[in-house]
Amino acid sequence: MRDYQSQCRVLTEEDIDALEIGSGILGTGGGGNPYIGKLRARQAIREGHELKILPIEALEDDARIVALGGIGAPLVSFERLKEGREGVRCLRALEERLGFKADAIGCEEIGGQNSMEPLITAAFAGLPVVDGDGMGRAFPEMQMTTYAIYGHNSTPSVMCDPHGNAVCFEHAITEKWHETMARACVIAQGGASVLASAPMSGAFFKAHAIPHSYTQAIGLGQAVLDARQAHEDPIKAICEREGGKHVFSGKINDLKRHFERGFNVGVASIEGLDDCRGSVGEITIQNEFLIFRRDGEMQACVPDLVVVLDLDSGLPITTEVLRYGQRVAVLALPCHELLRTQQALDVIGPAAFGFPELVYRPLAETA
Amino acid sequence: MRDYQSQCRVLTEEDIDALEIGSGILGTGGGGNPYIGKLRARQAIREGHELKILPIEALEDDARIVALGGIGAPLVSFERLKEGREGVRCLRALEERLGFKADAIGCEEIGGQNSMEPLITAAFAGLPVVDGDGMGRAFPEMQMTTYAIYGHNSTPSVMCDPHGNAVCFEHAITEKWHETMARACVIAQGGASVLASAPMSGAFFKAHAIPHSYTQAIGLGQAVLDARQAHEDPIKAICEREGGKHVFSGKINDLKRHFERGFNVGVASIEGLDDCRGSVGEITIQNEFLIFRRDGEMQACVPDLVVVLDLDSGLPITTEVLRYGQRVAVLALPCHELLRTQQALDVIGPAAFGFPELVYRPLAETA
């Protein structure tokens, strides 16, 4: 095991408070409820565990990074809490299968509770988490990481549930097959498990991970907290920091949301308020907020971030706690450039989500 | 690897012809289409592979037996042929996971194509198949083997599909959990895969397997062939040999059959013919024929064998080829005594199939 300790930043409870908000914003409604993640992370800190971030630049090329995260539907993980050691069981079983130990833990998706899962598992295992992730946001399926998009073969992987069951996906012929089999299995396991993927090299991770995600998410959350403390507009603070736009304000007046194929899917309709009065907003959901339309016209879509915030507090709202009558702000934030290549769009563009008629226009270029 | 070669019986194409019929009868409609199994076994023989049966008594106590079989719905495996080497890939991956080689192959269920699967895999691997199995018939779920009933923990196991995907069920907290996860995964894989279970010792196998299943099935099939050749009644020959009863004759006049949760399920209604004229028979199906009722009254049920034969030829009919208008004979055959203990009935009695109101009365005691 490498000694990365001296180069790590140890997170405080205040950092975790900020990460809850930042990962909630970047989660675009998904990635698991960040509040529950925060409570788990805080408990780990109070039990004496160190939650540590390692700068991505510190990684040696031949380091071995095991990325992990929760898999399932946000709705399930919100209602049924994790047993808590699923990630550690995954890591240990995978290490045993591989015959070597991981040097550091990676994050599959920075969005939502999945920002916390690697920190907690790594802390239990005495390892750091690399400051980066595979999405720069949250996406509903496993093949949607930059790791997979840029060529990492994520099997063998190990998935563990709260009951004590463990499954190793020995070999999947494609990343999509890995997703298909793991999705079926996680539904059988009750809908909320943890999965640790085949290790990546430090060189691969530095080239293909979204860098500095933890720093970004903590900074973003801190900006919201600072704005609230200073009685300034947190929504403005987010847009300025992320180069995004506040595209809609309104009240949720219709919500179709159901559990299908292991996902939360649905549509939220928003009646315009303030300067959006007379307009209707609509958000398409698959675990995350995928597409925002105003009066039928697409304003933002994957891979850019469609974010829903409480209109007054500026705090993020996840898909499973969305409800009729909420007054919300819809933001569109540009995604990282690694998500905008043609190679990436084939996997995470609107067509990959079943909307081939939509043409993705990068927000970063139109802002 | 032990040298069991000298003690083995090498099966001929004639033996396979008999096994097709015998395993079809014992399959009670399920276990995968035996005709397709026969074609695959015959091809293996013609390619120069030896399909070998090892007497169960020859097993040393510390021998390691890996049992395997097809998993999925008979309907799928009938329409989509196996790639052919799924079983070998399972065996090799499991051996690698375990760190040792199997001494012999075991059969999970003697019924249907699942009698052929171990023979073919073992032949490719140069191993014998022990003359015994875990059901003495076919059942739809994995926890329904005598192996599982009498205490074998069947994980780690490996499941391979025709595409090249491989999944290792590292640990299941119960046999039922193993079934639940594997069933979800096999549906994701397309509905017809092969699964090899954690090895059993020779001592365990000798104590808890249904002994001499292959000899029984080949002998039973041969008895049908002999009766047909001698223009005698094959149905009578089956009943005499197995101690069973010919409980109904009639024409299928209604058939509800659908694919649900990875199984063929349904109900077949039979209009009485000959001395059953005026009566109505009804068979409940879940991959296998589970229950036979005459005029609403239960005549036979699991774990005893409900067998459907072509009324004229005496050849077995599997659930996926059952159709309107077929003239059939329904037989009830007593199951092996290992399936009749209270421990077994908890897993394979009518209540376990969702019929708690039915009281199982062993055919062996009422005959």
Side-chain angles (χ1 to χ4, degrees):
Chain A
M1 207 167 80
R2 286 155 212 269
D3 185 21
Y4 283 136
Q5 304 302 325
S6 62
Q7 304 172 72
C8 285
R9 167 181 172 188
V10 178
L11 300 186
T12 63
E13 287 195 28
E14 290 67 36
D15 290 329
I16 297 298
D17 288 340
L19 180 59
E20 176 198 2
I21 297 171
S23 72
I25 295 168
L26 298 176
T28 71
N33 190 282
Y35 175 67
I36 291 175
K38 177 179 81 167
L39 297 183
R40 294 174 57 216
R42 185 194 281 167
Q43 187 183 353
I45 292 175
R46 292 184 183 174
E47 284 171 356
H49 298 286
E50 284 195 336
L51 277 59
K52 291 174 301 222
I53 302 296
L54 177 72
I56 190 168
E57 296 76 11
L59 274 183
E60 285 149 297
D61 283 353
D62 62 348
R64 287 148 164 175
I65 299 112
V66 169
L68 59 87
I71 173 168
L75 180 65
V76 176
S77 61
F78 185 56
E79 297 189 348
R80 189 185 73 167
L81 302 188
K82 287 208 156 45
E83 176 272 337
R85 295 267 171 170
E86 290 91 338
V88 177
R89 288 200 295 278
C90 287
L91 177 65
R92 293 304 179 226
L94 188 61
E95 286 176 336
E96 194 168 319
R97 164 66 181 74
L98 296 165
F100 58 79
K101 294 274 183 185
D103 296 308
I105 297 300
C107 174
E108 297 275 0
E109 65 180 352
I110 193 70
Q113 187 168 180
N114 264 343
S115 62
M116 307 284 187
E117 198 67 59
L119 286 172
I120 297 165
T121 297
F124 290 158
L127 292 173
V129 176
V130 187
D131 188 4
D133 81 306
M135 295 181 174
R137 45 167 293 163
F139 279 124
E141 300 186 21
M142 290 203 305
Q143 77 280 11
M144 296 175 172
T145 62
T146 52
Y147 314 143
I149 289 167
Y150 295 109
H152 178 57
N153 193 328
S154 63
T155 55
S157 69
V158 174
M159 188 166 79
C160 291
D161 73 6
H163 311 291
N165 295 303
V167 176
C168 174
F169 299 95
E170 278 290 332
H171 179 68
I173 51 170
T174 64
E175 291 298 303
K176 179 67 180 164
W177 266 106
H178 188 197
E179 160 68 24
T180 302
M181 295 189 293
R183 189 66 51 185
C185 209
V186 71
I187 296 171
Q189 290 182 339
S193 298
V194 174
L195 187 142
S197 298
M200 290 171 271
S201 71
F204 182 92
F205 198 89
K206 284 183 282 186
H208 302 300
I210 310 284
H212 315 128
S213 316
Y214 278 99
T215 308
Q216 180 197 3
I218 294 170
L220 178 57
Q222 195 58 53
V224 172
L225 289 170
D226 291 347
R228 281 161 58 89
Q229 181 127 33
H231 301 288
E232 288 166 7
D233 181 6
I235 294 172
K236 197 169 153 222
I238 295 167
C239 288
E240 276 174 8
R241 196 182 160 90
E242 300 293 320
K245 289 182 196 169
H246 179 170
V247 292
F248 205 74
S249 301
K251 200 174 77 172
I252 295 181
N253 67 354
D254 196 10
L255 183 60
K256 293 185 189 70
R257 185 178 46 187
H258 60 286
F259 190 67
E260 185 181 302
R261 298 170 299 118
F263 298 108
N264 299 352
V265 296
V267 174
S269 175
I270 312 168
E271 184 189 331
L273 287 175
D274 305 336
D275 53 352
C276 299
R277 198 169 294 274
S279 279
V280 176
E282 188 188 84
I283 300 177
T284 305
I285 302 168
Q286 179 188 344
N287 279 14
E288 281 75 41
F289 303 117
L290 300 182
I291 301 162
F292 173 69
R293 290 181 178 85
R294 180 174 178 160
D295 297 326
E297 200 168 314
M298 203 234 325
Q299 304 286 308
C301 76
V302 281
D304 285 332
L305 288 71
V306 175
V307 177
V308 176
L309 305 173
D310 180 276
L311 189 56
D312 299 317
S313 70
L315 296 177
I317 298 174
T318 50
T319 53
E320 79 279 5
V321 295
L322 212 60
R323 61 175 172 72
Y324 176 85
Q326 274 171 333
R327 287 158 41 90
V328 300
V330 181
L331 275 58
L333 310 181
C335 66
H336 191 274
E337 61 187 12
L338 281 172
L339 303 181
R340 294 200 302 262
T341 64
Q342 191 54 51
Q343 206 173 341
L345 291 176
D346 289 345
V347 182
I348 53 176
F353 287 93
F355 303 93
E357 72 282 9
L358 298 182
V359 178
Y360 169 67
R361 288 195 191 79
L363 207 68
E365 291 165 18
T366 61
Chain B
M1 208 166 78
R2 287 153 211 269
D3 184 18
Y4 283 136
Q5 303 301 325
S6 63
Q7 304 171 74
C8 285
R9 167 180 172 189
V10 178
L11 300 186
T12 62
E13 288 195 27
E14 290 67 36
D15 290 330
I16 297 297
D17 288 340
L19 180 59
E20 176 198 2
I21 298 170
S23 72
I25 294 167
L26 298 177
T28 71
N33 192 279
Y35 174 66
I36 291 175
K38 178 180 78 166
L39 297 182
R40 293 175 56 216
R42 185 195 282 168
Q43 186 182 355
I45 292 175
R46 292 186 183 174
E47 285 172 357
H49 298 287
E50 284 195 335
L51 278 59
K52 292 173 301 223
I53 302 297
L54 178 71
I56 189 168
E57 297 77 10
L59 274 182
E60 285 150 298
D61 283 354
D62 62 348
R64 286 147 164 177
I65 299 113
V66 168
L68 60 86
I71 172 168
L75 180 65
V76 175
S77 61
F78 184 57
E79 296 190 349
R80 191 184 71 168
L81 301 189
K82 288 208 155 47
E83 176 272 336
R85 295 266 170 174
E86 290 90 339
V88 178
R89 289 200 294 277
C90 287
L91 178 64
R92 293 303 178 227
L94 187 61
E95 286 176 336
E96 193 168 319
R97 163 68 181 73
L98 295 166
F100 57 79
K101 294 272 183 186
D103 295 308
I105 297 299
C107 174
E108 297 274 359
E109 64 179 352
I110 193 69
Q113 186 168 182
N114 264 342
S115 62
M116 307 282 188
E117 199 67 57
L119 286 172
I120 297 165
T121 296
F124 290 158
L127 292 173
V129 176
V130 187
D131 188 5
D133 81 305
M135 295 181 173
R137 45 166 296 162
F139 280 124
E141 301 186 21
M142 291 204 304
Q143 77 279 9
M144 296 174 172
T145 61
T146 51
Y147 314 143
I149 290 167
Y150 296 109
H152 177 57
N153 193 327
S154 64
T155 55
S157 69
V158 174
M159 187 165 79
C160 291
D161 72 8
H163 311 291
N165 295 303
V167 176
C168 175
F169 299 95
E170 277 290 332
H171 179 67
I173 52 169
T174 64
E175 291 299 302
K176 179 67 181 160
W177 267 107
H178 189 197
E179 159 69 24
T180 301
M181 295 189 293
R183 188 66 51 183
C185 210
V186 71
I187 295 171
Q189 289 181 341
S193 298
V194 174
L195 187 141
S197 298
M200 290 171 271
S201 71
F204 182 92
F205 198 88
K206 284 184 281 186
H208 303 301
I210 309 285
H212 316 127
S213 315
Y214 278 98
T215 307
Q216 180 197 3
I218 293 170
L220 178 58
Q222 196 58 54
V224 171
L225 289 170
D226 291 348
R228 281 162 57 91
Q229 182 127 31
H231 302 289
E232 288 165 6
D233 181 6
I235 294 173
K236 197 171 152 220
I238 296 167
C239 289
E240 275 173 10
R241 195 183 160 94
E242 300 292 321
K245 290 182 195 169
H246 179 169
V247 291
F248 205 73
S249 300
K251 201 174 75 169
I252 295 182
N253 67 355
D254 196 10
L255 183 61
K256 295 186 187 71
R257 186 178 45 187
H258 60 286
F259 190 68
E260 184 182 303
R261 298 173 297 119
F263 298 107
N264 300 354
V265 296
V267 174
S269 175
I270 312 168
E271 184 189 331
L273 287 176
D274 305 336
D275 53 350
C276 299
R277 198 169 293 275
S279 279
V280 176
E282 189 189 85
I283 300 178
T284 304
I285 301 168
Q286 180 189 344
N287 279 13
E288 281 76 41
F289 303 118
L290 301 182
I291 301 162
F292 173 69
R293 289 183 179 86
R294 180 174 178 159
D295 298 327
E297 201 168 313
M298 204 240 315
Q299 305 286 308
C301 77
V302 280
D304 285 332
L305 287 72
V306 175
V307 177
V308 176
L309 305 174
D310 180 274
L311 189 56
D312 299 317
S313 70
L315 295 177
I317 298 174
T318 51
T319 53
E320 78 279 5
V321 295
L322 212 60
R323 61 175 173 72
Y324 176 84
Q326 274 169 333
R327 286 157 41 88
V328 301
V330 181
L331 275 59
L333 310 181
C335 67
H336 191 274
E337 60 187 15
L338 280 171
L339 303 180
R340 294 199 302 262
T341 64
Q342 191 53 53
Q343 206 173 341
L345 291 176
D346 290 345
V347 181
I348 53 176
F353 286 94
F355 302 94
E357 72 282 9
L358 297 183
V359 178
Y360 170 66
R361 287 195 192 80
L363 208 66
E365 292 167 18
T366 61

